[in-house]
Amino acid sequence: MSRLHKAPVGFWVLSVLALVWNLMGVMAYIAQTTMTPDALQALPEAERALVAATPGWVTAAFATAVFGGAAGCLLLLLRSRMALPMLVLSLIGVLAQMGHMFLVSSAWEVYGPGRMAMPAMVIVGAVLLVFFARRASRRRWIG
């Protein structure tokens, strides 16, 4: 095994920020999947219908995205070579979930363009994390 190079401060800062971002995603997943009937009833009718129409595989993709992303970021902080494949898995989950949201579901009509900015940011963030992990691997900050 080749020796790891010293990771710069920016690597640590970005890895911690990415972990926090993904942990917020985990919290969103937990909040969505444990929503009580009363909380669901409090949503506007169009949003309730959207939640009810969400297939199980999309929820599984959501779980893969957020738990894979959090694990990948933790693996970055541990300087493990497994960070990159875990972040790729997370990206696949993000693309599946958001692909359904943007291309199949009626989320665009329900939420409008303003509330669809966050899902777009999630896609960009997941792609950037994969590139960041690839760079860290090439520079032997992880390995």
Side-chain angles (χ1 to χ4, degrees), residues 10-134:
F11 167 85
W12 299 107
V13 170
L14 284 173
S15 297
V16 167
L17 290 174
L19 177 60
V20 169
W21 169 260
N22 277 282
L23 289 174
M24 289 189 309
V26 168
M27 290 177 7
Y29 171 84
I30 291 169
Q32 180 178 311
T33 58
T34 62
M35 188 178 293
T36 65
D38 288 341
L40 187 59
Q41 196 60 32
L43 294 176
E45 177 61 35
E47 288 185 36
R48 277 197 312 269
L50 197 59
V51 170
T54 301
W57 69 265
V58 174
T59 303
F62 187 10
T64 301
V66 298
F67 288 104
C73 292
L74 183 60
L75 289 165
L76 279 173
L77 290 168
L78 295 172
R79 302 183 74 188
S80 170
R81 64 181 175 83
M82 293 307 296
L84 179 56
M86 188 60 68
L87 290 169
V88 168
L89 179 65
S90 173
L91 175 59
I92 291 167
V94 166
L95 293 175
Q97 177 196 12
M98 299 307 173
H100 179 269
M101 179 181 284
F102 281 107
L103 304 173
V104 178
S105 80
S106 60
W108 187 265
E109 293 83 24
V110 171
Y111 296 128
R115 284 187 56 197
M116 295 299 282
M118 180 59 82
M121 285 179 17
V122 168
I123 295 168
V124 170
V127 169
L128 291 176
L129 264 176
V130 168
F131 281 111
F132 177 66
R134 283 184 61 214

